[in-house]
Amino acid sequence: MKSEKAQLVVNGLKEAGIDFAAGVPDAQFIEVYKMVEKDPGIRYVGTANEAEAAGVGFGAWFGGKKPALLLATSGLLVATYHLARINLLHEVPMLVVIPYRGDIGDPRWLGLYKKTTEPGLNAMDIPYRIVSRSADIVRSIKECNESARAWLKPVAVLLNEEALW
Amino acid sequence: MVTRLSLLKELSALIADDVLVVSSIGNNSGFWGQLKDREANLFHVTMGMCTSTALGLALALPNRKVLALDADGNLTLNLGVLGTVANEAPKNLTIVLMDNRNYLGSNKKEPGMPTATAGKMNLEEVAKGCGIAGACTVEEVAGFRAEVHKALSTDGPHFIRARIEALDNDRPPRNKRVPDPRENKYQFAGYIQKTEGVEILGSGLGGG
Ligand SMILES: [Mg+2]
């Protein structure tokens, strides 16, 4: 991901009011993680796995923070049990931002995530928006977070095509 | 060795009203809900999620004491969190680990299946190796009282491993209804909003 696009993701988080983030880095999103970690307005917690990140974000919400999870498509699979509990049992909001690796156009051997990402989000009843153009990044992150907080459930933003590559 | 109930009774007597308690699923939540009915409790935090939830809460509210009431099976599902706790180093976090060395001992007349701590794993040493230098083990009520008192009155993060009986043969009388996760969410978030002045639930423009 080019640093201008990574900056748009961070701008979206800031405009959404995100002040807390947790996750495990993804190769295509590494600039986003570095910028978020440096940002004085966002408390970033690097965790050992993505389920742990979901728990940390869940706890931070109860402390008045507006949390985001930064998850790889592989990491979404690791986080599913805790995300499903957070969504379906506790009903607590969480923005989930995912660089959509494995979608059509990804030249690497990651097609497995095409089969797991959207069906997995649907199975967990986590609404999502796919963002394909960098011009839509900021607005979509903001809108997804607004919906998450109004609906008291996690909502995901998936970045693919020109918005990611 | 002591029972879970005897230690939770002790905890209920010495914990201040404003300490936020995050309890794992099973008898940690079930017993604590009977012993200490209060708004400052978050119950039913599932396998692998108890200490990470308490960590997020402690980081969000650095001036508020937070106590995780965790268990051996729950913690070992997501053991990496101990490294995160050590590095993030929230001064206000105490982890109390009820180590009964088996899964499902809380509900059965005989132990369920052994956790790793029934074998060679020592979670006090694991916590120390992760960087929580003051991690300790207690095996009776007086030691538990002293360590919890110390943890709640000095800077953390603290890790107290309590070796308890494999089975919960003594139980509190069930005369309270422990709230379900949604009711508990509103109760706990509402209490934190009221006492910390933060906005948690207010969002959206309503229906219509
Ligand atoms: Mg156990």
Side-chain angles (χ1 to χ4, degrees), chain B residues 4 71-74 98-105 115:
Chain B
R4 183 193 316 267
D72 52 330
N74 193 305
M98 294 293 178
D99 186 0
N100 70 355
R101 300 166 306 287
N102 75 103
Y103 297 101
L104 301 172
T115 61

Side-chain angles (χ1 to χ4, degrees), chain A residues 43 45-46 48-49 51-52 55-56 58-65 81-82 85-86 88-92 149-150 152, chain B residues 25 42 44 46-49 52-53 56-57 59-61 78 80-81 84 88 181-182 185-186 188 192 200-201 203-204:
Chain A
R43 179 71 159 90
V45 180
N49 79 41
E52 184 195 330
V56 169
F58 175 69
W61 179 79
F62 279 105
K65 294 290 183 188
Y81 173 48
H82 292 175
R85 293 275 298 201
I86 289 166
L88 302 172
L89 203 60
H90 299 279
E91 298 180 355
V92 158
R149 292 185 63 83
L152 294 174
Chain B
I25 51 167
L42 182 64
H44 317 300
T46 200
M47 295 292 285
M49 196 167 139
S52 53
T53 297
L57 188 59
L59 293 173
L61 296 172
N78 233 339
V81 72
T84 315
E88 296 291 338
R182 284 174 286 269
K185 168 189 66 181
Y186 288 112
F188 188 62
I192 293 172
I200 304 172
L201 289 159
S203 185

